């Protein structure tokens, strides 16, 4: 398992090697050489964000008139906001933003729209921006489809821990709302031993789980708002007595999580298909830039992944080169 986890980490880091952290030099709008598109990615430490950034690069390569530059937001509102400002100042034809915190990025995204730049928010969408397009999933549905599986699998009078994404993040908030409505409200017998924010980050989740496992010698399940945090929590208790058979739930359907599910280490997740998101984002950017569309508002699906069908998704990831 350690080998698989390390191999996935290397793949994700290699995927993110395409990211440029430097500011771009100023240039004019499309001059016949094609459209310049900036993608502001949330964080290279997030395995799903790494996957999506890699797919964005691959999909952009299919358009001869698009040049895509990818920037790493480093899970920092300040960094992301500065990168959006720089992209506006450097006259990009389109800017695609994967927000770290919706409220924090909203005014900067609005400035992009107000500057006449094609602007798309994705994973998550940012509501309240006038004139922006969006490509996203429905985070409530993502959380709900996994929570409904847990209704029958988490045992009576279970004790669980909960890992949340960044405060104010549209996906984290709505996935957690789904768990409340679809699971915790229906299972009052279940006790939440501890709950905290790990910011989608695997290392932060590991640290929290290390502390929780010392404070609570028995935990029945890990409820996580994404796969990256769930896998970190599982890594923290790997091989430790008293945690055999612990259940773990996430969202994203990352290659690592899918392998963990196939092996029986993780219980369930909902796929957020980075390939589909990237395809729709690049098509939307191209359609908006060429005038084929004026606004785009699309959502991708969220199929459930369990041990019963994990093999299908592993084949998908092998075909994409994400699992060797």
């Amino acid at each position: 398992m350690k080998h698989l986890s390390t191999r996935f980490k290397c793949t994700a880091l290699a995927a993110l090697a395409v990211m440029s952290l430097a500011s771009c030099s100023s240039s004019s709008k499309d001059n016949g050489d094609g459209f310049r598109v900036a993608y502001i990615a949330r964080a290279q430490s997030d395995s799903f964000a790494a996957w999506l950034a890699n797919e964005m690069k691959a999909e952009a390569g299919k358009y001869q008139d698009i040049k895509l530059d990818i920037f790493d937001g480093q899970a920092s509102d300040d960094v992301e906001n500065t990168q959006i400002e720089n992209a506006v100042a450097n006259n990009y034809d389109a800017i695609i933003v994967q927000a770290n915190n919706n409220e924090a990025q909203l005014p900067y995204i609005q400035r992009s729209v107000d500057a006449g730049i094609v602007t798309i928010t994705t994973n998550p969408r940012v509501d309240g921006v006038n004139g922006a397009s969006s490509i996203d999933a429905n985070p409530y549905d993502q959380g709900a489809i996994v929570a409904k599986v847990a209704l029958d699998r988490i045992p009576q009078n279970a004790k669980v821990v909960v890992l949340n994404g960044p405060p104010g993040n549209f996906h984290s908030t709505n996935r957690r709302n789904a768990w409340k409505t679809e699971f915790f409200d229906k299972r009052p017998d279940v006790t939440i031993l501890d709950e905290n924010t790990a910011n989608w980050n695997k290392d932060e989740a590991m640290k929290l789980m290390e502390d929780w496992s010392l404070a609570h010698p028995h935990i029945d399940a890990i409820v996580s708002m994404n796969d990256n945090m769930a896998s970190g929590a599982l890594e923290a208790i790997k091989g430790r007595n008293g945690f055999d058979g612990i259940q773990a739930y996430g969202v994203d359907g990352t290659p690592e999580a899918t392998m963990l599910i196939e092996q029986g280490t993780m219980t369930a997740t909902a796929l957020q298909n980075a390939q589909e998101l990237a395809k729709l984002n690049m098509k939307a950017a191209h359609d908006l830039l060429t005038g084929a569309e004026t606004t785009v508002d699309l959502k991708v699906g969220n199929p459930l992944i369990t041990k019963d069908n994990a093999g299908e998704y592993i084949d998908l990831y092998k075909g994409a080169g994400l699992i060797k």
Side-chain angles (χ1 to χ4, degrees):
M1 186 60 239
K2 181 177 180 181
H3 175 67
L4 288 173
S5 177
T6 302
R7 183 168 58 197
F8 174 76
K9 185 182 293 184
C10 291
T11 303
L13 290 174
L16 279 158
V18 302
M19 289 188 170
S20 169
L21 302 182
S23 298
C24 301
S25 60
S26 177
S27 68
S28 60
K29 291 283 185 181
D30 179 27
N31 57 8
D33 295 329
F35 300 106
R36 297 169 62 244
V37 179
Y39 173 52
I40 314 296
R42 181 174 56 237
Q44 66 178 359
S45 58
D46 178 340
S47 60
F48 182 81
W51 178 25
L52 181 55
N54 192 45
E55 295 297 340
M56 287 282 202
K57 180 176 183 290
E59 196 62 32
K62 299 176 183 178
Y63 293 86
Q64 293 184 348
D65 56 351
I66 284 182
K67 179 183 182 299
L68 182 71
D69 293 324
I70 303 178
F71 300 89
D72 176 14
Q74 303 175 42
S76 166
D77 292 338
D78 290 340
V79 171
E80 278 213 31
N81 294 340
T82 298
Q83 289 173 343
I84 296 169
E85 284 185 313
N86 288 343
V88 172
N90 285 290
N91 299 313
Y92 273 90
D93 300 299
I95 301 173
I96 304 171
V97 179
Q98 182 190 32
N100 183 60
N101 180 316
N102 294 40
E103 292 299 320
Q105 272 77 72
L106 191 153
Y108 295 87
I109 296 168
Q110 188 64 60
R111 289 178 199 174
S112 174
V113 176
D114 294 344
I117 296 170
V118 166
T119 307
I120 302 171
T121 63
T122 193
N123 185 243
R125 64 178 293 147
V126 177
D127 289 326
V129 180
N130 296 319
S133 293
S134 70
I135 311 291
D136 200 10
N138 185 320
Y140 185 94
D141 291 347
Q142 292 174 328
I145 197 171
V146 181
K148 289 174 182 177
V149 171
L151 272 176
D152 295 327
R153 297 198 183 186
I154 291 181
Q156 195 72 17
N157 300 316
K159 295 176 172 58
V160 307
V161 292
V162 179
L163 291 161
N164 292 314
N169 183 277
F170 180 71
H171 275 223
S172 179
T173 299
N174 283 280
R175 291 173 189 175
R176 183 61 179 87
N177 289 342
W179 270 94
K180 179 183 184 302
T181 301
E182 307 295 343
F183 181 80
F184 290 113
D185 286 352
K186 297 176 181 178
R187 290 289 307 274
D189 59 292
V190 174
T191 300
I192 299 176
L193 295 173
D194 266 302
E195 178 168 5
N196 211 330
T197 296
N199 295 304
W200 304 135
N201 187 279
K202 186 173 185 175
D203 290 339
E204 289 186 40
M206 286 180 66
K207 180 64 172 66
L208 285 172
M209 192 63 186
E210 286 169 359
D211 294 341
W212 291 345
S213 63
L214 292 173
H216 311 290
H218 178 77
I219 300 172
D220 292 292
I222 299 160
V223 174
S224 177
M225 301 309 117
N226 84 337
D227 291 339
N228 207 34
M229 296 184 297
S231 64
L234 287 169
E235 188 71 22
I237 56 173
K238 183 179 177 181
R240 291 185 52 182
N241 292 332
F243 295 97
D244 294 338
I246 190 172
Q247 299 181 32
Y249 298 86
V251 170
D252 282 338
T254 62
E256 181 181 25
T258 306
M259 289 189 292
L260 290 172
I261 289 171
E262 186 182 53
Q263 295 161 3
T265 305
M266 192 166 159
T267 313
T269 186
L271 176 65
Q272 184 167 238
N273 193 328
Q275 291 179 332
E276 185 179 4
L277 279 168
K279 181 177 181 179
L280 292 174
N281 268 287
M282 286 300 111
K283 183 179 187 305
H286 191 265
D287 286 349
L288 292 163
L289 287 165
T290 58
E293 298 283 355
T294 54
T295 58
V296 176
D297 184 3
L298 297 173
K299 291 183 175 65
V300 300
N302 48 269
L304 179 70
I305 301 176
T306 66
K307 193 172 177 61
D308 293 338
N309 65 349
E312 300 172 23
Y313 294 96
I314 287 176
D315 290 342
L316 181 152
Y317 296 138
K318 286 181 177 178
L322 294 171
I323 297 177
K324 302 300 182 182

